[in-house]
Amino acid sequence: MAASTLRTWDRRYGLGPTQRQAGSHRRYSPDDLARLETMRALTQRGVALADAARMAIRSAPAADAVGEDLDPLTLAAAAVDSGHERLVRALRASVVKVGLIETYSGRLVPALALLAETPRSDVPGHDPEAALAAAFLGVVRERTAAPLAPSTRPDLVLVAAPRESVVAAHVLAGSLHELGLRARVVRDDPEEAERHGRCRDGVALVIELHLDQDRLEPVPRHGTTFHGLLLVGPHAPEVPLAHRVRTLAAALPEAADMVAERLAEA
């Protein structure tokens, strides 16, 4: 990079060395260099200079930030310019601090929105949105790796969602697993999944996600006499006998209570 570019980025965007020495020498620390590398990578992919600088400043040490320090802008910048393992480390640390649902709702979803709104070009084979979703699903899988004790009681929870909300379905299913409840994600009619044997017997609860305008097609309701039905999201339809909540955070305790009631009846 030309020295004139470095001076311009320092003067206009604050991307200079964090420590200065007497005289004309400019000494860049490893974190300073990481910010410059992020800035250059973002601009080469078509991000506007001011936006790239804002993301670069927040990104070093971007994807290694933990807990509450991992904000959506930092996460979006890391998705553009970081490898899979760095994204996983950042998301893993956030989940340890604030949990799966808050990391998803408070970090991942806003970061994906920022990426969708930012004009840019991507190198072949790297899609930041897909990379971010894949990294987070990997963390969900890590959190649910420990098998639960087998049960003969109806304690299985089916989480059904349209394709647009499938990551949210995995987040909720993973959170249920952490509470000791067996959960599976289905992309189609959960009643069909049961009938065709793709899920084991013993369903205690079916959860449908209606988070977006593209709703999950209504499913036959005759099964609600055998298990509970929980509808989640601002676009959930009115269904007799079903429970309704607006958010994933509200769905978790509601689902746990509904399963507990089902087990008490069994």
Side-chain angles (χ1 to χ4, degrees):
M1 294 177 61
S4 59
T5 300
L6 293 175
R7 288 193 294 268
T8 299
W9 286 4
D10 184 7
R11 183 176 66 257
R12 292 184 181 177
Y13 309 116
L15 285 169
T18 52
Q19 295 183 353
R20 300 178 183 273
Q21 296 183 347
S24 60
H25 296 289
R26 305 162 63 84
R27 303 292 183 183
Y28 289 82
S29 71
D31 284 350
D32 296 332
L33 293 176
R35 278 186 283 268
L36 290 174
E37 290 170 351
T38 298
M39 175 74 171
R40 183 173 62 176
L42 291 170
T43 56
Q44 288 176 342
R45 294 176 187 178
V47 179
L49 284 172
D51 291 336
R54 189 163 53 100
M55 297 171 78
I57 288 171
R58 301 295 295 273
S59 70
D64 295 317
V66 296
E68 294 83 359
D69 296 330
L70 183 63
D71 60 276
L73 181 59
T74 296
L75 190 56
V80 172
D81 192 45
S82 299
H84 177 77
E85 290 303 321
R86 194 176 179 209
L87 279 175
V88 168
R89 289 198 304 272
L91 292 165
R92 184 187 292 134
S94 178
V95 168
V96 169
K97 286 285 185 178
V98 301
L100 283 171
I101 290 179
E102 177 56 29
T103 297
Y104 172 78
S105 300
R107 278 81 168 162
L108 188 75
V109 171
L112 290 171
L114 284 170
L115 290 170
E117 296 167 358
T118 303
R120 65 174 197 278
S121 59
D122 300 318
V123 296
H126 178 71
D127 180 82
E129 288 95 330
L132 193 50
F136 191 62
L137 287 174
V139 174
V140 174
R141 182 61 179 162
E142 289 178 358
R143 303 282 294 189
T144 60
L148 298 176
S151 174
T152 58
R153 300 188 299 172
D155 65 344
L156 179 63
V157 180
L158 299 181
V159 184
R163 184 172 297 275
E164 295 79 6
S165 301
V166 70
V167 175
H170 282 280
V171 170
L172 184 55
S175 299
L176 290 166
H177 183 98
E178 291 184 328
L179 292 180
L181 300 174
R182 296 184 298 134
R184 302 284 291 180
V185 174
V186 293
R187 294 195 185 190
D188 53 7
D189 180 343
E191 301 286 344
E192 286 294 326
E194 293 178 73
R195 281 197 291 271
H196 289 285
R198 293 198 295 273
C199 295
R200 292 178 291 174
D201 293 333
V203 175
L205 177 64
V206 171
I207 302 176
E208 291 180 13
L209 300 189
H210 298 268
L211 304 176
D212 301 308
Q213 289 288 356
D214 294 330
R215 299 181 180 181
L216 184 70
E217 286 296 319
V219 302
R221 303 300 173 186
H222 61 268
T224 57
T225 58
F226 303 102
H227 52 61
L229 177 63
L230 175 61
L231 307 176
V232 182
H235 307 293
E238 294 281 354
V239 176
L241 304 179
H243 293 230
R244 297 172 75 243
V245 295
R246 291 183 62 84
T247 66
L248 289 180
L252 187 60
E254 184 74 14
D257 288 344
M258 292 178 71
V259 173
E261 292 176 3
R262 180 74 174 90
L263 293 179
E265 295 169 358

